[in-house]
Amino acid sequence: MFYNSLKINLLFLSLIIGFSSFAQQDLKLQYKQPAVEWTEALPVGNGTLGAMVFGRVDSELIQLNEATLWSGGPVQKNVNPDAFKNLALIREALTNEDFEKAYDLTKNMQGAYSESFMPLGDLILKQDFGTQKIDSYNRSLDLQTGLTLTKFNADGVNYKREIFVSAPAKCIVIKLSADQLKKLSIIIDASSLLRNQKSIQSKSLVLKGKAPSHADPNYIDYNKEAIVYEDTAGCRGMRFELIIKPIIKDGEISSEGDKLIIKNASEILLFVSAATSFNGFDKCPDSQGKDEHQLVESFIKKASAKKYNNLLQEHISDFQHFFNRVSLKLNEKETNKSNLPTDLRLEQYAKGEKDAGLEALFFQYGRYLLISSSRTHNAPANLQGIWNNKLRAPWSSNYTTNINLQMNYWPVESGSLSELFFPLDEFIKNVSVTGAETAKSYYHANGWVLHHNSDIWAMTNPVGDFGKGDPMWANWYMGANWLSRHLWEHYEYTGDKDYLKKVYPIIKGAAEFSLDWLQKDKDGYLVTMPSTSPENKYYYDGKKQGTVTTASTMDIGIIKDVFENTIAAAEVLNIDSEFRQTVNKAADQLLPFKIGNKGQLLEWYKDFEEEDPHHRHTSHLYALHPANLISPLNTPDLAAAAKKTLELRGDDGTGWSLAWKVNMWARLLDGNHAYKLFKNQLRLTKDNDPKYKRQGGCYPNLFDAHPPFQIDGNFAGTAGVIEMLMQSQNKEIHLLPALPDEWTDGEIKGITAKGNFTVDIKWNDSKITQAKIVSNKGGKCAVRASVPFTIENINIKSEKSSIGYTAVFETKKGTSYRLISSK
């Protein structure tokens, strides 16, 4: 036994030493005061359980979430039986350019709103220090370990609270300690905004409840009851259970009512876990639900049987398996500010002080958040990841599929987190099932369709509450096509043909719907009608405002893209030659992109004046990013028009909008402009503080600020940094394609390029010095850089091209190739 104990301690010590050597990047968020606002608290999660840690001294608040806890139940079929009869009338009105009539008729094709992501509850730890002086306060989040730490001194005693969320243990683990014996006396309480019953069972606090059968979006105020619990159909409102189990060293545990009381302990371990009865998008969460009690009880039993150090080691090993794949160093000669509080760094940054370390921290924060929020079957990261403290969260904290859900997963492949794609992959499969029914009942079309909102139940109908919503956002038809791009890209990055074979029917289904959706205009082009450009308006006939139109540029770009991807997938699998020909013929007949009188890429099929020229959505540039239909390399004229469009849109916007523009400017190979938008992402904003105007940027805890909080900007910001440093969309690896002048020196390691290549890049004085490319699958590799280079181990030299220098060579699986600058 002594030998085993010694072995464990030595292993743990070696682990800590390993962390220290790797922690030179100083990837920590830290603060000198507790969180007051939710957007100051620190997020931890294991992909299913999420917690926001406030770091309060006397009354610690840990706000809890569980990824599958949503209102509602499986979607109904044929939710609007009269929808289809309006379609021909809308198309007739659009042909006659009666946009007002088309708008009114389109409202008749709406359905119910999506359901909402729910908060689980709050864990409160009360520790009464009376009039004792509190000093030496610090709270932090270590991105490399997923560990939050709150430290303070009270009356000469040093207290510590460590919190992490373990994926292997399926549990939140909390350790409270002090450097003097028997100094820990706390009251443990829990609450929930949902209907619940609380009790003490076997010295554990148990909270059981049921989610609402429906929750209105936060922007709806006309219903008498916004939160509905009654379940007349017997198939809505899932059960949930939360258990909090303490284990103490010294002291005693008792209960008072529904609270746990711990007195005079030397160390306290709290094991917190939860489960719901969710059993799939098409299963009644009550009658067909999982046994949430059995699940959470087993999680707690297994976790609490382990030693704390073993749990921590297991957690860190699991977490770093993902996190440590990628590192980024920027301008290391700069003054290192990692010892400063993060909110102070943000304030100094806003005043123009340089802090490349903060920029690298924000980059890695996006990867940290994705690891922490995308590990649950059928439940991809939502608008807020897995963190939400409101019954009616902004936009229901749902899956918004006209940009936001997709944006969440932009860094999953290039950021070397490919295994974390599975929740979105499964969700796409779910909506392809419900979307096939919606395509039939709404449009009498083949394939599958998804509109602009969805939820854990895979809702696919257009929202708007049967005519009460604005078609500007409610009636958009391209969600299936866009999500299909993620399936194709997963293949492009992994080269997994077995996977492509499984998902090809889904990609094909999106193309099939598009073929049925397209109509011929008077000039013989294939167009979409009705059509919208998400959430934007145009002027016609003077100052009349329109939203419903024919062939928005976004529609055409998305359909071109899904057609190309479908053809490419079928060619890889060597199947569907006849269907390929059909798709190819339709692609050739699509309305071409048009350039307007200002030199911009038109957003609509006519050169309409925009109602809001600085609108947050840049939907008509989908063809530039995330697609690759427009690029400086292959379509320079259209790339110039896209650049003009971005210039006209301006450099401001909501947090996620800024992030999308970072990616777009990087695709245009303009690193300085991309960096300007990236800096805007780090503009500090605060809730309930009049000194800070409500602007796109980030909160003190680095959450992206729309405002309010939307996590998509964090993920897209991470993806944007990779786009500045490496791109691979043109069947080549472009090294430092959009390097900003500000990043004179740096090194990035471990990012992934299409073709399944792992890429390291190092640069000095704004020029690449060397790179390493590891071929994980073999095959041809094309490389582009701004300076001439040599591939050392095979002695291939680059050649001058229209943009920089290129080299093409065959690779062997598992082989590294070192590129050295020739200058």
Side-chain angles (χ1 to χ4, degrees):
M1 183 180 291
F2 174 77
Y3 172 76
N4 288 336
S5 176
L6 179 62
K7 187 166 69 171
I8 289 170
N9 287 332
L10 287 173
L11 189 59
F12 185 68
L13 180 61
S14 68
L15 197 61
I16 296 298
I17 292 170
F19 302 158
S20 300
S21 63
F22 192 83
Q24 292 174 19
Q25 291 177 306
D26 296 311
L27 296 175
K28 285 185 179 180
L29 283 68
Q30 57 183 340
Y31 307 85
K32 293 297 183 183
Q33 69 285 331
V36 176
E37 301 291 341
W38 189 81
T39 47
E40 296 170 357
L42 294 173
V44 286
N46 65 358
T48 300
L49 294 169
M52 295 290 287
V53 183
F54 281 68
R56 296 176 181 174
V57 173
D58 294 299
S59 184
E60 172 64 293
L61 172 60
I62 304 167
Q63 186 265 315
L64 305 171
N65 287 100
E66 205 277 352
T68 64
L69 183 54
W70 290 65
S71 63
V75 297
Q76 299 176 0
K77 294 182 179 180
N78 198 19
V79 295
N80 185 346
D82 294 329
F84 179 71
K85 68 183 184 182
N86 292 278
L87 186 56
L89 298 174
I90 294 168
R91 287 171 172 165
E92 181 183 9
L94 288 170
T95 300
N96 297 328
E97 297 195 344
D98 189 342
F99 300 118
E100 187 173 354
K101 183 178 181 181
Y103 175 87
D104 291 336
L105 288 168
T106 300
K107 295 175 80 171
N108 296 335
M109 299 191 74
Q110 294 174 359
Y113 283 112
S114 78
E115 292 302 336
S116 302
F117 179 52
M118 295 278 107
L120 173 62
D122 292 340
L123 169 60
I124 302 103
L125 307 177
K126 294 183 179 179
Q127 193 170 2
D128 187 5
F129 292 101
T131 59
Q132 295 178 34
K133 180 184 178 184
I134 307 296
D135 56 22
S136 303
Y137 180 91
N138 181 273
R139 66 184 174 102
S140 63
L141 168 62
D142 188 338
L143 301 189
Q144 292 174 278
T145 61
L147 179 69
T148 65
L149 176 61
T150 302
K151 298 187 298 183
F152 55 90
N153 181 282
D155 201 23
V157 180
N158 293 310
Y159 293 89
K160 239 183 357 179
R161 298 172 185 164
E162 302 164 78
I163 303 175
F164 62 91
V165 191
S166 169
K170 299 179 174 61
C171 198
I172 301 170
V173 183
I174 303 170
K175 179 182 177 182
L176 284 69
S177 61
D179 65 355
Q180 294 182 28
L181 297 177
K182 300 184 179 182
K183 290 292 184 179
L184 297 170
S185 295
I186 66 168
I187 300 172
I188 303 170
D189 196 6
S191 63
S192 177
L193 295 173
L194 304 177
R195 289 184 181 176
N196 68 88
Q197 305 85 41
K198 193 167 50 164
S199 62
I200 303 298
Q201 300 176 23
S202 303
K203 294 186 178 181
S204 293
L205 196 162
V206 179
L207 189 150
K208 300 180 179 183
K210 193 172 184 181
S213 62
H214 175 69
D216 279 346
N218 68 306
Y219 47 85
I220 297 302
D221 60 5
Y222 49 73
N223 287 324
K224 185 178 180 181
E225 287 186 86
I227 304 293
V228 179
Y229 280 92
E230 286 67 34
D231 177 21
T232 55
C235 197
R236 303 177 69 80
M238 66 177 70
R239 302 182 304 273
F240 67 90
E241 183 167 337
L242 166 70
I243 297 179
I244 302 156
K245 177 183 177 65
I247 295 179
I248 64 173
K249 181 179 179 181
D250 301 326
E252 57 185 36
I253 300 177
S254 62
S255 62
E256 187 176 297
D258 54 12
K259 299 178 179 65
L260 286 170
I261 313 295
I262 297 176
K263 292 183 178 179
N264 304 320
S266 297
E267 180 182 282
I268 301 172
L269 295 182
L270 297 178
F271 298 89
V272 183
S273 195
T276 75
S277 62
F278 176 74
N279 196 25
F281 75 101
D282 55 353
K283 299 286 194 304
C284 291
D286 195 350
S287 61
Q288 297 173 293
K290 290 183 178 180
D291 186 339
E292 72 284 357
H293 174 70
Q294 186 276 328
L295 285 171
V296 67
E297 198 171 51
S298 68
F299 299 157
I300 291 288
K301 184 177 180 180
K302 289 177 183 177
S304 61
K306 294 184 177 182
K307 299 291 186 183
Y308 176 80
N309 284 352
N310 291 348
L311 286 164
L312 178 61
Q313 176 186 327
E314 186 181 56
H315 157 70
I316 292 176
S317 177
D318 169 79
F319 187 84
Q320 292 192 341
H321 171 68
F322 298 105
F323 189 86
N324 282 6
R325 294 173 183 175
V326 174
S327 63
L328 174 64
K329 299 175 183 177
L330 296 171
N331 297 356
E332 288 196 298
K333 296 175 185 176
E334 270 185 20
T335 301
N336 187 338
K337 296 185 176 183
S338 61
N339 62 323
L340 296 177
T342 304
D343 48 350
L344 177 60
R345 294 176 76 178
L346 286 166
E347 289 173 4
Q348 292 179 350
Y349 190 83
K351 295 175 182 176
E353 293 188 25
K354 293 184 178 182
D355 194 344
L358 179 64
E359 294 164 351
L361 180 71
F362 186 77
F363 164 78
Q364 287 285 30
Y365 191 51
R367 295 184 67 251
Y368 166 85
L369 292 172
L370 194 57
I371 296 167
S372 302
S373 64
S374 182
R375 300 180 72 174
T376 300
H377 289 288
N378 302 296
N382 61 53
L383 268 177
Q384 296 186 181
I386 56 169
W387 298 279
N388 166 42
N389 65 332
K390 298 180 184 298
L391 265 182
R392 299 174 70 199
W395 302 286
S396 304
S397 193
N398 67 8
Y399 300 125
T400 306
T401 52
N402 65 8
I403 174 65
N404 312 93
L405 174 60
Q406 293 90 334
M407 187 177 270
N408 282 3
Y409 285 85
W410 284 352
V412 75
E413 305 290 350
S414 60
S416 299
L417 298 172
S418 187
E419 302 98 314
L420 305 186
F421 173 63
F422 78 87
L424 180 61
D425 182 48
E426 293 173 349
F427 173 79
I428 294 171
K429 291 172 185 173
N430 296 344
V431 289
S432 75
V433 174
T434 56
E437 191 282 325
T438 301
K440 285 290 184 191
S441 62
Y442 265 77
Y443 310 116
H444 293 193
N446 294 304
W448 66 284
V449 65
L450 171 63
H451 298 83
H452 107 291
N453 271 174
S454 191
D455 51 32
I456 201 169
W457 309 108
M459 187 207 75
T460 54
N461 62 254
V463 298
D465 200 8
F466 304 94
K468 297 185 181 72
D470 193 329
M472 174 180 69
W473 41 264
N475 296 85
W476 178 79
Y477 313 89
M478 296 290 112
N481 294 355
W482 193 339
L483 283 177
S484 295
R485 154 162 280 280
H486 286 262
L487 304 179
W488 171 242
E489 279 201 328
H490 187 68
Y491 164 74
E492 285 189 295
Y493 277 96
T494 63
D496 186 344
K497 285 188 181 180
D498 290 336
Y499 169 81
L500 183 63
K501 189 174 182 180
K502 290 177 184 176
V503 300
Y504 173 74
I506 300 175
I507 300 173
K508 179 180 178 180
E512 287 175 321
F513 174 80
S514 297
L515 288 171
D516 285 354
W517 185 244
L518 288 165
Q519 305 290 304
K520 274 199 174 180
D521 72 0
K522 58 184 175 58
D523 298 317
Y525 288 116
L526 289 177
V527 297
T528 55
M529 53 195 308
S531 174
T532 57
S533 190
E535 305 178 34
N536 204 1
K537 300 178 182 179
Y538 59 89
Y539 289 121
Y540 70 97
D541 290 349
K543 285 294 180 180
K544 291 182 180 178
Q545 286 187 357
T547 59
V548 179
T549 183
T550 298
S552 72
T553 300
M554 184 189 211
D555 280 9
I556 299 302
I558 287 181
I559 291 176
K560 279 180 184 282
D561 188 45
V562 76
F563 281 175
E564 280 195 7
N565 297 340
T566 305
I567 292 168
E571 287 174 346
V572 169
L573 298 172
N574 195 26
I575 57 174
D576 257 355
S577 59
E578 188 175 328
F579 185 69
R580 268 185 267 162
Q581 292 174 15
T582 300
V583 173
N584 202 46
K585 182 179 178 182
D588 289 340
Q589 296 177 58
L590 285 170
L591 184 73
F593 295 131
K594 296 180 181 180
I595 296 175
N597 59 18
K598 298 175 183 176
Q600 84 281 24
L601 190 72
L602 289 187
E603 186 164 0
W604 291 277
Y605 81 113
K606 285 189 172 183
D607 200 348
F608 291 126
E609 181 187 351
E610 295 159 318
E611 186 262 345
D612 179 5
H614 301 127
H615 197 271
R616 61 193 176 278
H617 283 262
T618 46
S619 304
H620 45 318
L621 297 187
Y622 172 94
L624 172 67
H625 182 277
N628 189 39
L629 301 167
I630 296 175
S631 71
L633 185 66
N634 298 320
T635 59
D637 290 344
L638 287 174
K643 180 179 181 180
K644 186 64 177 178
T645 297
L646 285 173
E647 290 171 346
L648 292 169
R649 270 296 198 260
D651 296 332
D652 210 339
T654 59
W656 66 263
S657 174
L658 295 170
W660 196 0
K661 292 172 188 175
V662 170
N663 287 268
M664 289 179 167
W665 280 110
R667 285 285 176 93
L668 291 171
L669 310 182
D670 191 335
N672 288 335
H673 215 132
Y675 179 72
K676 181 180 181 182
L677 274 297
F678 180 70
K679 285 191 70 175
N680 286 348
Q681 274 198 270
L682 284 163
R683 293 185 303 205
L684 178 61
T685 189
K686 293 184 179 182
D687 285 331
N688 301 319
D689 190 331
K691 289 191 297 183
Y692 293 88
K693 61 180 181 179
R694 289 177 61 81
Q695 61 181 1
C698 72
Y699 292 105
N701 67 356
L702 296 188
F703 269 173
D704 174 75
H706 177 287
F709 164 54
Q710 279 188 203
I711 205 167
D712 44 16
N714 290 105
F715 296 137
T718 295
V721 171
I722 296 174
E723 289 282 334
M724 286 190 265
L725 301 179
M726 189 274 294
Q727 296 176 24
S728 62
Q729 71 274 4
N730 288 313
K731 296 183 178 179
E732 64 179 24
I733 300 171
H734 194 166
L735 304 173
L736 303 184
L739 181 68
D741 290 343
E742 287 290 329
W743 292 345
T744 55
D745 306 284
E747 182 176 23
I748 191 164
K749 289 184 176 181
I751 52 177
T752 302
K754 291 180 179 178
N756 204 344
F757 297 100
T758 303
V759 180
D760 301 346
I761 312 167
K762 189 172 185 178
W763 66 96
N764 290 309
D765 296 327
S766 298
K767 291 177 182 172
I768 188 170
T769 55
Q770 63 182 47
K772 184 176 78 171
I773 297 174
V774 179
S775 177
N776 299 310
K777 195 169 181 64
K780 185 179 291 185
C781 180
V783 181
R784 184 182 300 274
S786 61
V787 296
F789 60 89
T790 301
I791 304 169
E792 228 178 25
N793 38 340
I794 53 177
N795 198 30
I796 288 180
K797 294 184 178 180
S798 62
E799 297 180 357
K800 188 79 173 75
S801 69
S802 58
I803 297 177
Y805 298 80
T806 59
V808 181
F809 55 100
E810 288 292 333
T811 68
K812 294 181 180 179
K813 181 179 179 179
T815 303
S816 297
Y817 299 87
R818 190 162 180 255
L819 282 66
I820 302 294
S821 170
S822 302
K823 276 192 173 182

